[in-house]
Amino acid sequence: MSDLILLALDESSTLQLISRAFRAVGYKTVSAHDKASVDKLMQESHPALVLLGGQLQGEKSTGLIDSLLLKYPTLPIVYLSTENSVELIQEVLQKGVSGYLHPPLKTDEIISTVESSLKRAKRLGDWVRKEVKHTTASLEKRVSEMEVLLTIGRDVTSSLDLDGVLKNVVSAAVSLTKSEEGSLLLLDEESNELYMRAGHNFEEGFVRSFRLPVTDTLAGQVIETGKPIILNKDSLEKIQTAYLVQALIYVPLKYKDRVIGVLGVDNRKHRLPFTERDVLVISLLADYAAVAIENARLYEASENERSKFEAVLSNMDDALIILDKEERIQLINDVMREALNVKPVEDVFNKAIRDIITHDDFLSLLERKNENLRYHEVHLDSDRVFSAQYTPIKGVGAAITMQDISYLKELNRLKDDFVHTVSHDLRSPLTAVLGYAELLERVGTLNDQQKEFIRRIQSSVEDITSLINDLLDLGRIEAGFDSRREPIHIESILEYSLGNLEASALEKKQSLEADISAELSLLRGNPIRLRQMFDNLISNAIKYTPESQKIDLKLHQEGTQIIFKISDQGPGIPPEDQPHIFEKFYRASNVVADAPGSGLGLAIVKTIVESHNGRIWVESKVGMGSTFFVVLPT
Ligand code: ADP
């Protein structure tokens, strides 16, 4: 196709002449007579050259040179001057026109100038195209290199398949460096040998059996120095017995300054030398491989720890559940599942505990968690009893552990049964002993010593009988046998009890001072048991308070609660004994050895109070006396 010439000239006979001359030698022409049509034709017809007249519509056209070359830098422009001026030639040449003609204008001169400009422009165009092609090719190569590296990088961070990742690293190393083989060697620290963890273009068997000593080998050198090796030989280089290569790159696999292996590529057949850039690419891949290996190691280590931890938790005998701060289940072991009837297959992770477990005793532990409870019993429907603890865990939430104490409960029940039976069976023979001791005096005269012995027998038997009665009472109240309730005036019961015990207080020259409110509500209760409660508390106060001291009693009402308070000036109760004094047979450590009593009195009191839905507690300081409080609902 012939070139198109744009004639940017004013309409004139010269234009006709030039246009004809060009056509005669085989060029096509288009004409424009002003700037706007020049621009339009440039865009529409893509002329190969512009022949620009010195004037367009009476104006200088030098400005147009600038705007044309700004848009089309390789466009040849031949300038057709109207005058022969050195300044003008200089100006337009500086602007970058490729030819300059001045009057008198001859058509052959114009044509030859145009032709040589076109030739030069073509050469320039060819060169530019070649350069662009070259640059594009190398850019494309870089881009595809980057893409491969990016994919591997993504692989390393997202895949847990170490074999796959390492295989990909080695094959990328081979393809990016256009080499024949690639291998990833890892150091076996025990044997100080390198083995092949992944290979490309090697036979499976070769990969598996590959072993290379660290000493005196190229790969070993990389391990020892931590520096890459690049080898481009004219002769063959032996890297292993009977293994020769022409070119090779080995780079270290480093993790935190520790060399753990070597990544290498080599050429055995072809003499394709490697470049420093290849070393760079392989080093990058080696970094990826090292990270992948370390990630896998860390993952395995943490998985091991986790499964060990899980095994410990699920195999422990205690039931365990771990909750987060929002009381969602984070972990539950098999014992807890079994205890609380959560199916082994049910996925309860992250579910709200109250949605999964509906057991009242268990949930009340959650309600009372802020009370710093040490013991909390959970009674399951299956007659099993657990002792549960709630432990807040900073940063996690809380752990609830439970131990099966059913067997302890059962033992306790057996003990109570035993004590009850024995007490019961002892009562009749003791009554007989007492009866016959009384009869002795009636069947014959006894001397004073004999009388004294009989008195001692009677007193001892009375002690044992009262102990047995206490035990039987306790058993009866605990078993809920005396649930009889009637409306009572609690103040009369207290007064009755006081009347009975006044004599013992007098004996010790103690004063009993009672402050009994006149406006007390009726209370539903068991009068005999409540009397027993007052008796025990008051007689304790008398018993433990030294002679000539004062005992204060107060009975009043607050709202729907009757409050009884008894304060003495006795020895007090050591703080470590206070939590236990309401247990059966428990006596505080400061009780004098011969003080009468069996440690059952307060246990009976507590059982009575609780069977009336009340509460009892003590406040006491050693040497400062004790105050017992009883609160009963009206
Ligand atoms: P006991 O038969 O030993 O009095 P209790 O069950 O009545 O048994 O009391 C248990 C223990 O509580 C007593 O052994 C004593 O150590 C302590 N205790 C009870 N009341 C008082 C008190 N008023 N002053 C000091 N200690 C007391």
Side-chain angles (χ1 to χ4, degrees), residues 19-79:
S19 154
R20 231 174 293 129
F22 274 121
R23 277 205 297 274
V25 290
Y27 289 102
K28 281 185 187 156
T29 58
V30 281
S31 321
H33 310 303
D34 54 55
K35 194 178 167 300
S37 30
V38 169
D39 283 343
K40 192 163 166 262
L41 282 170
M42 280 305 296
Q43 275 182 23
E44 288 171 357
S45 327
H46 309 292
L49 183 140
V50 175
L51 190 68
L52 179 64
Q55 298 240 324
L56 273 183
Q57 294 189 309
E59 270 181 40
K60 269 181 81 183
S61 67
T62 43
L64 197 55
I65 301 176
D66 291 332
S67 65
L68 278 173
L69 288 181
L70 192 70
K71 255 188 169 163
Y72 314 97
T74 56
L75 175 75
I77 301 175
V78 172
Y79 187 76

Side-chain angles (χ1 to χ4, degrees), residues 470 536-545 566-574 577 580-592 595-605 618 620 625-628:
D470 279 354
N536 285 358
L537 288 172
I538 299 169
S539 57
N540 269 355
I542 296 173
K543 179 164 66 175
Y544 293 108
T545 300
I566 172 165
S567 313
D568 63 46
Q569 296 177 332
I573 302 162
D577 290 319
H580 303 292
I581 54 168
F582 298 101
E583 291 166 13
K584 286 174 209 163
F585 302 111
Y586 193 92
R587 309 196 75 192
S589 47
N590 63 339
V591 166
V592 278
S598 59
L600 277 178
L602 287 182
I604 293 176
V605 170
V618 67
S620 176
S626 314
T627 302
F628 285 84

Side-chain angles (χ1 to χ4, degrees), residues 497-537:
S497 179
L498 278 171
N500 262 334
L501 291 164
E502 233 160 23
S504 342
L506 262 177
E507 226 171 83
K508 288 183 81 177
K509 302 191 198 73
Q510 293 163 334
S511 62
L512 282 177
E513 283 176 26
D515 167 10
I516 301 174
S517 161
E519 292 153 19
L520 294 175
S521 304
L522 279 179
L523 189 141
R524 281 190 68 77
N526 183 320
I528 299 172
R529 293 302 172 208
L530 290 172
R531 161 98 199 273
Q532 201 173 4
M533 172 191 89
F534 285 132
D535 282 354
N536 285 358
L537 288 172

Side-chain angles (χ1 to χ4, degrees), residues 149 186 254 340 361 530 594:
L149 290 173
L186 288 186
K254 280 190 191 166
L340 296 175
D361 271 0
L530 290 172
D594 59 350

Side-chain angles (χ1 to χ4, degrees), residues 163-221:
D163 284 346
V165 172
L166 295 183
K167 250 188 158 52
N168 289 347
V169 165
V170 178
S171 60
V174 169
S175 76
L176 291 180
T177 56
K178 300 214 165 33
S179 47
E180 292 166 11
E181 301 167 334
S183 57
L184 194 146
L185 312 178
L186 288 186
L187 183 64
D188 175 352
E189 283 180 358
E190 255 172 48
S191 62
N192 209 27
E193 279 180 328
L194 289 158
Y195 62 94
M196 203 180 284
R197 184 67 175 75
H200 188 79
N201 289 347
F202 286 111
E203 279 182 10
E204 263 307 303
F206 181 82
V207 172
R208 248 179 282 123
S209 61
F210 184 94
R211 282 265 157 185
L212 197 64
V214 169
T215 36
D216 291 336
T217 56
L218 281 177
Q221 198 180 314

Side-chain angles (χ1 to χ4, degrees), residues 246-267:
Q246 304 231 15
L248 161 148
I249 295 176
Y250 270 155
V251 302
L253 238 66
K254 280 190 191 166
Y255 194 82
K256 289 190 184 152
D257 293 337
R258 208 161 46 86
V259 185
I260 58 171
V262 172
L263 177 63
V265 288
D266 62 68
N267 288 330

